[in-house]
Amino acid sequence: MMDETEMKLSSHTFLSLLLIHPYISIFVSLPLPLYNLTMTRIELVFIATPAMGNLVPMVEFANLLTKQDPRFSATVLIITVPHRPIITTYFNSLSSSSTNLRFLHLPTVDPPTPDQYQTNVGFISLLIEKHKHRVKHALIDIIKTESPSDSDSVQLAALFVDMFTTAIIDVAAELNLPSYLFFASPASFLGFTLHLSQIETELTDSNTEFRFPCFKNSLPRSVFPKLVFNEKNGSSWLSHHARRYKETKGIIVNTLEELEPHALQSLYNDSQLPRVYPIGPILDLHGSARWNPNAVQYKRIMEWLDMQTKSSVVFLCFGSMGSLSMGQVAQIAFGLERAGFRFLWALREPPKARLEDPKDYTNYDNVLPDGFLERTAEIGLVCGWVPQAKVLAHKAVGVFVSHCGWNSILESLWYEVPIATWPIYAEQHMNAFEMVKELGLAVEIRLDYRDGEDLVKGEEVERCVRYLMNGCDEIRRKVKDMGEKCKMSLMKNGSSYVNLVSLIEELTSS
Ligand SMILES: *[C@@H]1O[C@H](CO)[C@@H](O)[C@H](O)[C@H]1NC(C)=O
Ligand SMILES: *[C@@H]1O[C@H](CO)[C@@H](O)[C@H](O)[C@H]1NC(C)=O
Ligand SMILES: *[C@@H]1O[C@H](CO)[C@@H](O)[C@H](O)[C@H]1NC(C)=O
């Protein structure tokens, strides 16, 4: 099924490459009265939050649009942030692969100073705000250089922002461009941010549960993103962005009807919202394998997996920004060793400064218990950064212990690997809650884990691993079923495909 989708897309790529070829564009701009061959090229611009979880799906979405319709070409505006070498590596790998996408680095601005923000979301939001001028100039340049003086065959049609880049809606408005929101987290979280301002006064009460239209169950306070309770600015940044979502002309969500029917219905019911298009799952299935900074490690991991039998490995990975305290790492090691199942563990060192990403350990001696690596050499592999999608695609992987970032959840469903939830930051606790309580698609290790405040004991890790590897047939069956629905939704006449086609109609109609 996947192959069919890929084939369809690649034939379109070929077409779209033809259409932007200089000779062809000269050809199509000639007046040809007999055949209506004149094709307006439609330029789309994308601006994502400079964090991998937001950036990668937005780039893939831009890719999808340009492949789906040969009239589209796209420019992705890139915001540079300090201490994020991974983003540079990612973009370098993309620029070298030729597609209908262009990447444009915006000139840097002075970042906000620590007295101006209290949270990472505050930092990002202010940083984006400071880029408004730069974006405006970039857009004006695109309009000028892209439009040949003698014809109007190129048209800048829309600007796509994401959950934290809403400041750019102002720039689009100034230039009379429609803006759209691309939301890389689930529909449930979109509904949460939209409803947050209505319960703001209750947040300081001792309420332990809250009703949100996008969740069937009451939502325990313990799964709210920590940011919401930040005393200095509370939930105001999230609500601020959510208010702006309503100003867009459409909201694209990286999800599918079949996965989040309730949350999506609650959004459709909201008369203040523009049209909502669930068009997922949008995945980068090559993932970091394409630009992995550590090719040797990648090879070692894949060779190790090749030697394991089907569904025999517990895979533990906590995301590009996830790392755990040393005490917690020791408990996991203890539990894995006691459980005795095969494991692949992506273990990363916590960042030393705020706003930095975790790094690979140069040496595990200080973090893993004495002799752990030697004693488990036969059954386990501890490594740093992994190309997660490639690992999930491997038949040897039986269970995924995950931080529940939305992209990871979608990848895991795609490859039909059941998740055991271990959320760490951002909206991951809420994603875990949705998967376990709302959808029955994952097994709970924790829903409300906070590193440094909570400790999952080795015995618990052992018990969970045993439970997961010895059965959970019902969940396995449901995950397999949802995995098939994910693939169906992208095929011709599938729900996400149909929504994508409507979006394209809207983008090309003006
Ligand atoms: C609080 O958040 C709002 C966004 O809604 C922002 O405009 C304001 O400057 C923030 N205040 C502080 C003190 O950070
Ligand atoms: C959507 O609206 C309909 C009609 O008012 C209502 O019956 C339904 O419960 C709503 N669904 C959600 C998920 O909000
Ligand atoms: C898609 O739907 C159209 C209209 O309902 C139908 O004619 C066509 O056969 C369908 N195509 C596939 C591949 O199911």
Side-chain angles (χ1 to χ4, degrees), residues 213 262 265-266 269:
H262 178 86
Q265 188 57 53
S266 77
N269 277 5

Side-chain angles (χ1 to χ4, degrees), residues 85-297:
I86 187 177
I87 291 180
T88 314
T89 318
Y90 171 67
F91 276 115
N92 289 345
S93 81
L94 290 173
S95 324
S96 58
S97 62
S98 64
T99 61
N100 224 4
L101 294 188
R102 249 174 10 122
F103 299 95
L104 198 70
H105 286 268
L106 294 171
T108 52
V109 301
D110 291 333
T113 51
D115 59 305
Q116 293 172 316
Y117 60 89
Q118 284 87 33
T119 59
N120 289 1
V121 170
F123 170 82
I124 284 293
S125 306
L126 293 171
L127 182 73
I128 305 298
E129 190 81 41
K130 287 175 150 231
H131 275 82
K132 278 158 84 168
H133 275 297
R134 304 275 200 243
V135 173
K136 188 175 173 186
H137 287 296
L139 292 179
I140 290 170
D141 278 353
I142 289 171
I143 294 168
K144 270 196 288 202
T145 56
E146 293 280 308
S147 305
S149 48
D150 53 356
S151 79
D152 58 352
S153 67
V154 180
Q155 185 202 342
L156 182 52
L159 181 96
F160 289 83
V161 299
D162 75 10
M163 56 167 44
F164 299 133
T165 59
T166 61
I168 307 303
I169 293 173
D170 296 333
V171 183
E174 265 184 68
L175 297 172
N176 262 325
L177 264 182
S179 36
Y180 289 81
L181 171 69
F182 175 76
F183 201 78
S185 287
S188 59
F189 187 61
L190 174 58
F192 173 82
T193 62
L194 287 161
H195 193 70
L196 194 54
S197 62
Q198 293 178 39
I199 60 141
E200 222 138 47
T201 55
E202 299 163 45
L203 285 176
T204 46
D205 302 347
S206 55
N207 282 9
T208 50
E209 299 208 319
F210 298 86
R211 294 290 311 163
F212 281 81
C214 53
F215 285 90
K216 281 185 278 188
N217 298 284
S218 306
L219 207 56
R221 170 188 202 101
S222 59
V223 303
F224 282 31
K226 214 173 167 184
L227 163 78
V228 169
F229 301 108
N230 182 298
E231 61 196 55
K232 297 235 183 63
N233 212 352
S235 54
S236 47
W237 273 118
L238 283 184
S239 297
H240 164 83
H241 290 296
R243 274 191 297 278
R244 305 228 53 192
Y245 300 160
K246 297 174 187 166
E247 296 171 37
T248 61
K249 207 170 164 210
I251 298 180
I252 294 89
V253 190
N254 192 8
T255 189
L256 57 149
E257 298 279 0
E258 291 80 354
L259 178 58
E260 296 194 87
H262 178 86
L264 283 166
Q265 188 57 53
S266 77
L267 297 175
Y268 300 149
N269 277 5
D270 184 344
S271 59
Q272 289 179 21
L273 280 191
R275 180 157 174 195
V276 175
Y277 300 86
I279 58 153
I282 296 173
L283 302 165
D284 176 15
L285 295 179
H286 296 287
S288 59
R290 198 174 43 196
W291 47 273
N292 191 330
N294 192 341
V296 176
Q297 171 158 283

